[in-house]
Amino acid sequence: MLDIRNLTKRFGDTEAVKNVSISVPDGAFLVLLGPSGCGKTTLLRMLAGLELPSEGQIIFDGQTVSDGDRNWSVDPAKRNSGLVFQSYALWPHMSVRGNVDWPLKVMGMPRADRAARVREVLDLLDIGPLADRYPNEISGGQQQRVAIARTIAPKPSVLLFDEPLSNLDAKLRVEMRTELMRLHRATGATTVYVTHDQIEAMTMASHVAVLNHGRVQQFGAPADLVDHPATAFVATFVGTPPNNMVPVIKNGTGYKVGGRHMPMTPPADECLAMVRAENMALSDAEGDTTLPMDLVETSAIAGRIMVTGLRDGLRLTAIVDRAPKASIGDIVQFRLPPHPDGWFGPDGERIG
């Protein structure tokens, strides 16, 4: 349904998106995940037709809608796609009903059919009683529902979301995630969703593309990204809490692990050892495989305790059954397992 081929976008000498290729089937829920400035919103804007690619093609359902190599693009209004903005962008002088009705009116849909469709989508999003109110008379969460209703009313085959939940409080974000997943099942539309929140990505997506510096670091199912991260960036960006990355450097006849000599046999003279937080332990005393860290945080997580230490720029997190008998700022010994959960080279690429 959605095919992105070698897509690149330049702004002057800056490449915001670099040679991105992604394909997903009809009805997929694709999440573009990454930190601020990674290129995910620029990619979404190209899908919406608001930006012309510098190179590459975008294909919706077998039809090319953008071709950067030929400097050609289909008008946004003719792509059978809908975009939900981060800022909602509701018309303040129109009621909720009027906001949802307007794109149908522009399409030339008869009045009776428009009225029926407006009622249908308002009921789908549980905002039917708000039909005669204006945007300034409803809450932020309700405004977001109106924006979504307006977008799905014309029945687009592709839905595009630009961080739609970022303006909501934590509780409402969880509720809206559930609503968006229900909406996706109800409409069957292929969905592309931009976020920097990896929890949103892991809970909602059928496919995830992790971006950094304009490039796709890894593309796949959410479980694959967690279980088999392809790069050190993915390993530390995806997962709650993120994986620990411990530098290992050859030193004489042995190796320094996080700055201390340890009995470890890495696959290269310089690499990063990935250790999952649940496999990192705490020790009451210093040992051959422990690293002394300054305790900076303890917090409860799913019935266990997350303990975080920091020393010389290295940050380690362990998930343990009991909190250490230490205060913030005290030294805590983090014990590494005999075998790391993965190895990465200095360039961040996975080894083996």
Side-chain angles (χ1 to χ4, degrees):
M1 177 60 196
L2 173 61
D3 193 10
I4 301 170
R5 300 179 182 175
N6 308 117
L7 206 63
T8 295
K9 178 62 179 178
R10 300 185 188 90
F11 296 100
D13 295 331
T14 302
E15 280 190 329
V17 175
K18 305 175 185 178
N19 196 32
V20 168
S21 295
I22 300 171
S23 293
V24 295
D26 187 21
F29 197 118
L30 169 64
V31 171
L32 304 178
L33 174 66
S36 298
C38 72
K40 56 187 185 294
T41 294
T42 299
L43 178 53
L44 190 80
R45 288 176 61 84
M46 287 190 283
L47 295 177
L50 303 179
E51 297 283 357
L52 178 65
S54 302
E55 296 175 9
Q57 294 80 37
I58 299 172
I59 300 168
F60 286 174
D61 198 19
Q63 296 185 340
T64 301
V65 294
S66 287
D67 191 328
D69 298 331
R70 294 188 295 171
N71 198 38
W72 172 84
S73 181
V74 172
D75 186 271
K78 299 178 180 180
R79 293 185 174 215
N80 195 22
S81 64
L83 173 61
V84 177
F85 293 95
Q86 180 179 353
S87 60
Y88 314 150
L90 300 178
W91 290 294
H93 65 289
M94 291 184 182
S95 66
V96 167
R97 179 184 287 108
N99 267 275
V100 179
D101 178 72
W102 178 252
L104 302 178
K105 186 175 182 180
V106 172
M107 288 172 58
M109 184 181 289
R111 178 178 295 179
D113 293 341
R114 295 201 320 262
R117 180 58 179 163
V118 169
R119 285 195 301 271
E120 181 183 2
V121 295
L122 292 182
D123 289 342
L124 180 63
L125 285 148
D126 295 326
I127 50 175
L130 306 178
D132 294 321
R133 297 190 190 181
Y134 287 83
N136 67 338
E137 298 174 331
I138 59 179
S139 69
Q142 291 167 336
Q143 289 181 43
Q144 184 59 279
R145 289 172 186 261
V146 176
I148 294 170
R150 181 182 61 187
T151 302
I152 68 171
K155 298 184 179 180
S157 58
V158 178
L159 282 173
L160 309 171
F161 292 90
D162 186 11
E163 301 198 52
L165 308 185
S166 60
N167 293 331
L168 305 180
D169 62 54
K171 182 176 182 294
L172 195 53
R173 286 178 71 137
V174 173
E175 294 175 357
M176 282 303 299
R177 283 207 306 263
T178 302
E179 288 299 306
L180 286 174
M181 293 167 69
R182 181 179 65 84
L183 178 67
H184 178 250
R185 292 192 299 270
T187 62
T190 302
T191 300
V192 183
Y193 185 100
V194 164
T195 184
H196 63 270
D197 187 329
Q198 55 99 10
I199 295 178
E200 286 183 12
M202 295 300 107
T203 55
M204 300 172 68
S206 63
H207 302 71
V208 179
V210 181
L211 284 87
N212 193 33
H213 300 305
R215 296 189 183 276
V216 174
Q217 296 278 313
Q218 188 171 354
F219 171 66
D224 290 338
L225 272 61
V226 173
D227 296 339
H228 308 288
T231 67
F233 176 81
V234 175
T236 54
F237 194 79
V238 175
T240 305
N243 294 303
N244 298 291
M245 303 299 290
V246 185
V248 179
I249 302 173
K250 186 174 180 61
N251 185 259
T253 58
Y255 291 89
K256 272 193 171 183
V257 181
R260 293 195 64 201
H261 283 281
M262 285 191 190
M264 187 176 286
T265 307
D269 289 348
E270 183 177 351
C271 53
L272 295 167
M274 183 186 84
V275 179
R276 301 188 188 279
E278 59 269 27
N279 295 331
M280 183 76 74
L282 300 181
S283 178
D284 293 331
E286 183 177 336
D288 291 342
T289 59
T290 63
L291 290 174
M293 308 292 290
D294 299 319
L295 181 64
V296 295
E297 183 180 55
T298 61
S299 60
I301 179 170
R304 303 187 74 193
I305 303 297
M306 183 173 69
V307 182
T308 302
L310 184 66
R311 172 75 61 99
D312 298 329
L314 177 63
R315 188 181 186 91
L316 297 180
T317 301
I319 300 294
V320 296
D321 292 327
R322 293 186 301 274
K325 295 178 180 179
S327 301
I328 300 300
D330 289 350
I331 295 177
V332 175
Q333 299 290 335
F334 281 70
R335 187 174 72 246
L336 276 65
H339 303 287
D341 297 297
W343 293 101
F344 296 85
D347 59 356
E349 296 295 320
R350 187 156 190 151
I351 302 174

